[in-house]
Amino acid sequence: MTRPLDGIRVVELALEIQGPYAALTLSEMGADVIKVENRVGGDTSRSVPLAKMVADAPAELADFRHYFYIFNRGKRSVGLDLKSAGGRDALMRLLDTADVLVSNFRLGVLDRLGFGYDALKERFPRLIYAVASGWGTQGPRTHYPSRDMLAQAASGLMAKTGHDPDPPLPAGTNIADYGGAHMLVTAVLAALVQRGRTGRGQRVDVSLYGTMLAHENWELFQASLTGREPHRAGHAHPHMTGAWGGFRTADGWLVLSSIPDAVWPRFCEIIARPDLAADPQWTGKTRNVDGEAFRTIIAGAFTGRTTADWMAELGPAGVLATPAASYQDVLADPQAHASGYIREVAHPGLGTLRLVGSPIAFSDAALREAATAPALGADTDAVLGELGYTDTDIAGLRDAGVI
């Protein structure tokens, strides 16, 4: 079975998460992703062994470069010195074969190397030039450095997460990096569709900051309409209280996401509080929007049974509930495995690894099977050979320190 992006070549000039994750997603859909790295050191994530992030990492995994592996599996690596004439020439020849260039280098870096969009667009009129930035390409902060957490803070998310009077609280994951990668993939796919109609490529830009604003679309619009600042999310969401968020059980936490009218009577039966269903004060609004008093009433109802016991009744009844899973719970979840969201892949030397697979499924196309991440420059000779370099040429570039 073919893959959706078979025949599409992506050249990646990117580091760490946002750009590499976007290129990985394109690779999973079939694109041939060639990661061009500095010939010495490569992607900065290559320098991060597991032991640097996990103090008690198993000895056999201590030096595993998991950070690089997870965002670069299935790609090909070419090591080039782009400050040399030979390295720049090799990249130009590679771009002659490319459909997409993906970069999250700080704005201006590629321009200084001679690979800015204005320098390339005439020579490569079909190229999709995809840029992942921190703040966007216009405005006073365009050239400021950025990170995932700064985008979370600048977007307003951190100020709305957690409880007063605690400091602003980030999400427990790199939500701006991951979301920004998927936004960039969306933009690339749209540009490829348009190129199919017009024959011309274009530049597409996605920023961490803009992605976070898009992820707070409803909340920001409501603040715009009212001129009011919502309270912090606390256990749920600034606009939702009561039957939302986590409730302690005998062995963990159960999370509710409102109690709709259709399941309200049955919910009351399950928690052994049929009197609540008969009480007219507990409308949908007082349960789910202005419901701090309601939350207090039901908070103690769950402590006498395990989370699994509650789910055995609440799930079949259609109540919007789920356990608050740990990462180990997720990695063992039959639902995640059945859908391919958690996959087991073979790693040379480390055996079977469990990792996150693509959340995308196609009825008439396949995704690329997960492969290991490349060693730095592992594919340099093969890719240069595809570009017409002879063995002698390649040997000369290596002697000159270009590759």
Side-chain angles (χ1 to χ4, degrees):
M1 186 180 291
T2 60
R3 295 180 290 262
L5 296 183
D6 279 344
I8 296 295
R9 172 168 285 181
V10 176
V11 172
E12 177 196 318
L13 291 162
L15 304 170
E16 299 189 0
I17 299 179
Q18 186 186 12
Y21 191 25
L24 170 65
T25 304
L26 296 169
S27 173
E28 288 177 320
M29 289 189 280
D32 174 24
V33 176
I34 299 175
K35 185 179 182 75
V36 177
E37 304 180 71
N38 190 322
R39 59 177 291 274
V40 178
D43 188 324
T44 51
S45 65
R46 286 186 181 273
S47 66
V48 184
L50 184 63
K52 187 173 183 178
M53 293 189 170
V54 182
D56 58 347
E60 68 274 15
L61 295 173
D63 196 49
F64 180 35
R65 307 307 163 106
H66 70 301
Y67 184 13
F68 178 82
Y69 175 90
I70 199 62
F71 298 114
N72 295 284
R73 59 193 192 273
K75 301 175 183 178
R76 297 197 282 169
S77 172
V78 171
L80 293 176
D81 176 8
L82 293 181
K83 294 181 180 179
S84 70
R88 291 192 295 272
D89 179 68
L91 179 54
M92 281 293 189
R93 289 170 67 169
L94 182 57
L95 290 173
D96 269 325
T97 71
D99 298 280
V100 182
L101 169 66
V102 170
S103 176
N104 67 339
F105 288 178
R106 192 167 167 182
L107 293 180
V109 170
L110 289 183
D111 296 272
R112 290 192 294 273
L113 290 170
F115 296 98
Y117 179 62
D118 288 338
L120 297 183
K121 63 182 180 181
E122 296 305 322
R123 175 169 174 174
F124 308 114
R126 290 177 54 81
L127 182 69
I128 309 301
Y129 191 99
V131 175
S133 68
W135 301 103
T137 59
Q138 305 293 325
R141 276 182 279 178
T142 293
H143 292 283
Y144 282 19
S146 185
R147 287 279 182 174
D148 178 281
M149 189 181 293
L150 299 187
Q152 291 191 43
S155 72
L157 177 69
M158 285 178 59
K160 292 294 169 283
T161 303
H163 298 264
D164 284 328
D166 293 340
L169 188 68
T173 185
N174 292 301
I175 187 172
D177 274 324
Y178 297 147
H182 290 144
M183 285 283 190
L184 192 64
V185 169
T186 300
V188 166
L189 296 179
L192 286 170
V193 170
Q194 185 175 23
R195 189 185 73 175
R197 294 197 299 263
T198 67
R200 293 193 62 83
Q202 61 186 297
R203 175 171 172 152
V204 299
D205 297 274
V206 169
S207 72
L208 298 176
Y209 179 50
T211 294
M212 288 308 305
L213 297 184
H215 285 172
E216 297 163 76
N217 196 327
W218 165 39
E219 294 83 357
L220 282 167
F221 184 51
Q222 183 161 312
S224 172
L225 289 174
T226 64
R228 299 171 185 166
E229 196 72 12
H231 62 75
R232 294 184 72 174
H235 56 74
H237 184 279
H239 304 322
M240 301 294 174
T241 58
W244 292 75
F247 295 85
R248 187 173 288 281
T249 67
D251 65 344
W253 292 88
L254 179 78
V255 174
L256 299 180
S257 182
S258 84
I259 307 171
D261 290 339
V263 300
W264 169 234
R266 177 60 181 140
F267 173 82
C268 293
E269 291 177 9
I270 293 172
I271 67 169
R273 290 297 305 270
D275 57 302
L276 296 177
D279 189 334
Q281 73 171 304
W282 300 121
T283 65
K285 187 172 188 294
T286 55
R287 293 194 306 270
N288 300 316
V289 180
D290 301 322
E292 283 301 323
F294 178 73
R295 181 180 178 83
T296 301
I297 287 174
I298 66 170
F302 300 100
T303 57
R305 300 169 64 185
T306 68
T307 304
D309 285 343
W310 285 117
M311 285 304 303
E313 290 195 68
L314 294 172
V319 177
L320 297 169
T322 191
S326 69
Y327 280 170
Q328 296 305 319
D329 292 335
V330 172
L331 290 168
D333 186 357
Q335 180 67 35
H337 283 266
S339 301
Y341 303 151
I342 298 295
R343 299 173 61 184
E344 294 186 348
V345 300
H347 181 279
L350 295 179
T352 300
L353 302 178
R354 288 176 297 171
L355 50 79
V356 177
S358 175
I360 300 168
F362 298 95
S363 66
D364 294 310
L367 293 170
R368 185 187 301 278
E369 290 296 318
T372 193
L376 176 58
D379 306 287
T380 301
D381 289 16
V383 171
L384 293 183
E386 293 171 11
L387 301 178
Y389 286 84
T390 66
D391 291 345
T392 302
D393 295 333
I394 293 170
L397 291 173
R398 183 163 283 110
D399 291 341
V402 173
I403 61 174

